Amino acid sequence: MAERLLTDFLSCHVCSETFRDPVSLHCNHSFCKSCVEQFWEKMKTRNCPSCKRRSSLEDLLIDFNLKDLADSFSGRKRADPEENTRSPEKSESRCSVHGEKLLFFCEDDQEVLCVVCQTSKRHRNHQLCPVEEAALDIKEQLNTAFEVIKEKLEKFNDAKKQCEETVKHIKNQAQHTEKVIKEEFEKLHQFLRDEEEARLAALREEEEQKSQRMKEKIENISKHISILSDRIRDIEEDLNNEDTKFLMCEVQDPEVLSGALIDVAKHLGSLNFRVWEKMLHIVSYTPVTLDPNTASPELSVSDDLTCVRYSGVKQQLPDNTERFTQCLAVFGSEGFTSGQHSWEVEVGNKPKWIVGVAKESINRKEMIAVSPEYGFWVLALRNGDEYIASGVTNLTLKKKPQRIRVQMDYDSGEVSFFNLTDMSHIYTFTDTFTEKLLPYFSPCGNYDGRNSEALKICPVKVSVTVNKM
């Protein structure tokens, strides 16, 4: 290492060779005399090739001390070709120029020096210290750097562990979601199978009834045919006997039945539409669904994403950026940046709950006040009978609501709450919205043992309207 440092010290920064007739400028940078003269001639300035500081020297005087050192170093390299084969311990323990022990460390140039080097012009006025002290300082710096690296390694290990846990959670989410999808489609498949069987059964029943009617009709006609055949024979005999009784024979024509065929139109007319229309009785639509990726680990969200309750058990879930961790809350899956929107929440007899809207950008990792100042426009119930609008306005309600309607007009800057028990208006916020708002739900904790009920987003009635031309 010392030899490499010495090589750098005795090399011209222009030609990168060992100095030949070295000169030193006022900025203490040294170069071969011919190199710096050629550089100045080419650049048309007298700036230092290294630091670009302008030199005021008119005559460049050769630095003979540096020249002797450079010549000696260059001659030593030629005279001692085995120098490069020496062990690193020997080359580093003694000065490659003077052969003396390396006892000092130059803090300015970050070089190890011997007794002779430290008296040279280059290191004059530089800060020097014994190599032992420098080694201790460097060791202390390394220890500090080592601790920093250890902390970073720990952080990366934690991040890796969190990523691995997230991968497992993603797999569990996919498996659970697949299971729910299959269950929901199985319900639809079962409905269609049941509907198919019911319609085929109705067809078979109609076929059997009408076939039986036709069989009975055929039997009746067959009897009449037999009777008429007998009468024909009697008439023929009477004709031969010149008897007039045959004139009194009266026979009715066979009855023609209407509606004897299968009512194909009843079974096939708009079949797909009729089945779909009937499916409305088994399907539901909610204007808002919950986003389980935002739910606090202590909350449980139903498979259909319409109910949330306090579970009392902290689940092992990824601490993703979207998730609430310090408050018991969950966001709706879709936000709003314009238009009018409304949804109804069944609160039942819960003594605590919070419903409304909040900014998408709110801090989900800290406890913050649920007020418009921090991006909340919500209605809350505390202690069973204290109704509060965004934590600042106490309200008095005539009847305890079982169901709350949240109604938002983004463009007009209004969020309103209604008590659907008596259809009364509770409170309206008026503000200016500048970013996406998300439906906000908090079933609150179960500290008193009476708050285990779920908040449920109510479905809306779905109907089919046919516009006849």
Side-chain angles (χ1 to χ4, degrees), residues 299 302 397:
L299 298 184
S302 62
L397 277 64

Side-chain angles (χ1 to χ4, degrees), residues 392-451:
V392 294
T393 305
N394 293 323
L395 306 171
T396 301
L397 277 64
K398 293 181 179 179
K399 288 188 177 181
K400 180 180 177 65
Q402 297 288 310
R403 183 180 292 189
I404 298 291
R405 175 184 292 161
V406 183
Q407 190 166 298
M408 184 186 71
D409 188 334
Y410 189 98
D411 301 318
S412 297
E414 292 183 349
V415 179
S416 301
F417 299 89
F418 298 87
N419 180 358
L420 297 186
T421 301
D422 57 5
M423 302 305 295
S424 62
H425 171 253
I426 300 175
Y427 191 80
T428 295
F429 290 99
T430 302
D431 210 328
T432 300
F433 305 136
T434 58
E435 64 176 87
K436 182 183 289 187
L437 301 184
L438 293 165
Y440 179 88
F441 306 87
S442 174
C444 299
N446 193 28
Y447 308 113
D448 55 5
R450 298 184 296 111
N451 203 34

Side-chain angles (χ1 to χ4, degrees), residues 261-327:
L261 301 180
I262 295 294
D263 190 352
V264 177
K266 180 184 71 173
H267 296 287
L268 296 183
S270 300
L271 176 60
N272 294 341
F273 174 78
R274 298 302 178 192
V275 174
W276 175 66
E277 186 179 34
K278 194 172 181 180
M279 286 180 67
L280 295 179
H281 299 292
I282 68 166
V283 299
S284 62
Y285 170 76
T286 52
V288 170
T289 54
L290 303 175
D291 183 358
N293 292 335
T294 66
S296 165
E298 294 178 277
L299 298 184
S300 176
V301 178
S302 62
D303 288 341
D304 63 359
L305 308 181
T306 62
C307 297
V308 58
R309 71 174 71 245
Y310 174 71
S311 65
V313 178
K314 189 172 184 179
Q315 306 172 74
Q316 296 299 317
L317 300 174
D319 186 19
N320 48 303
T321 56
E322 301 88 354
R323 191 177 305 282
F324 287 98
T325 55
Q326 296 300 316
C327 57

Side-chain angles (χ1 to χ4, degrees), residues 205-237:
E205 182 179 0
E206 183 178 356
E207 177 191 13
E208 184 177 351
Q209 289 175 352
K210 292 189 174 181
S211 295
Q212 183 63 32
R213 288 177 60 188
M214 293 308 298
K215 288 178 181 178
E216 292 174 354
K217 183 65 176 177
I218 291 172
E219 290 177 359
N220 188 38
I221 291 175
S222 297
K223 289 179 181 179
H224 281 79
I225 290 174
S226 178
I227 293 172
L228 288 175
S229 297
D230 292 341
R231 289 185 178 182
I232 289 173
R233 286 192 300 270
D234 293 342
I235 291 172
E236 288 176 345
E237 293 177 358

